[in-house]
Amino acid sequence: LSIYDLKKKSIRALSDGARFKDPSVSPNGKQVVFTVNSKASNSIAVADLISKGSKWKLGPARIVFHAKPYGSAANAKFSPDGQHVVFSWHADDTKGTALVRVNVETLASETILSDEKTNRFPAFGPSGDLYFVSDRTGVDNLYRVRRGVKSGPAEQITNVTTGVWFPAVA
């Protein structure tokens, strides 16, 4: 992982030799969540983002979701309160990609959506609604689960013919 200094227009490595990817900073700017690649799986980790003057450092990585062999967790995003992360999860023995939420302190996890479709790229909107991309129509479109909804159908937001990826909601 690296950090880009806007003033100096320079890049500085935060991690060295580790196989980290898909970083996302917490709402308070004090932590970063990312994917860790190791031994035939991708897990989710959180680390403190430490400022030392004008320099930044990454604290020790703490696994918050340990993937089973050949499983892949990716694209984690912090919830607006910073207490949870939501990410896409594909287990080797299942069809589709689920959306999972894990509490970063207790490590308790729950499946938000698992419908044998490819559900990925979660993003939170300003009101706390969860947006994500799914191929449930055969094309990648944007969907939403309203804040506080524990289960039930997701609402389709777009209906494009070419697909969408990496939503950012403001």
Side-chain angles (χ1 to χ4, degrees):
L1 299 180
S2 298
I3 192 163
Y4 183 76
D5 187 315
L6 292 171
K7 290 181 183 178
K8 295 179 183 177
K9 297 182 180 180
S10 63
I11 296 175
R12 183 176 174 283
L14 290 175
S15 59
D16 185 28
R19 298 185 71 187
F20 299 159
K21 63 180 183 176
D22 303 329
S24 183
V25 178
S26 65
N28 67 8
K30 294 182 179 182
Q31 292 182 309
V32 62
V33 62
F34 47 91
T35 301
V36 177
N37 181 286
S38 63
K39 296 185 181 178
S41 67
N42 290 317
S43 297
I44 300 296
V46 172
D48 289 337
L49 195 53
I50 304 162
S51 171
K52 297 222 176 197
S54 64
K55 294 186 179 182
W56 291 89
K57 177 181 160 185
L58 193 64
R62 183 172 60 93
I63 302 293
V64 295
F65 182 84
H66 184 66
K68 295 176 184 174
Y70 309 111
S72 182
N75 303 110
K77 301 286 186 233
F78 277 98
S79 61
D81 64 9
Q83 294 178 357
H84 298 87
V85 292
V86 174
F87 55 92
S88 59
W89 165 243
H90 175 75
D92 182 49
D93 58 348
T94 61
K95 185 176 179 183
T97 305
L99 292 177
V100 173
R101 174 178 34 230
V102 65
N103 182 299
V104 296
E105 293 302 320
T106 68
L107 308 185
S109 64
E110 66 179 319
T111 301
I112 297 172
L113 181 68
S114 180
D115 59 4
E116 297 188 350
K117 302 299 181 190
T118 303
N119 303 295
R120 60 195 183 281
F121 309 125
F124 285 93
S127 66
D129 292 348
L130 175 64
Y131 293 82
F132 64 96
V133 173
S134 180
D135 69 349
R136 60 182 58 188
T137 64
V139 176
D140 285 335
N141 272 287
L142 186 67
Y143 290 81
R144 171 176 58 198
V145 174
R146 297 232 182 235
R147 180 181 181 182
V149 174
K150 294 288 183 188
S151 63
E155 176 185 6
Q156 186 174 346
I157 302 299
T158 64
N159 188 22
V160 299
T161 58
T162 56
V164 296
W165 276 25
F166 301 111
V169 185

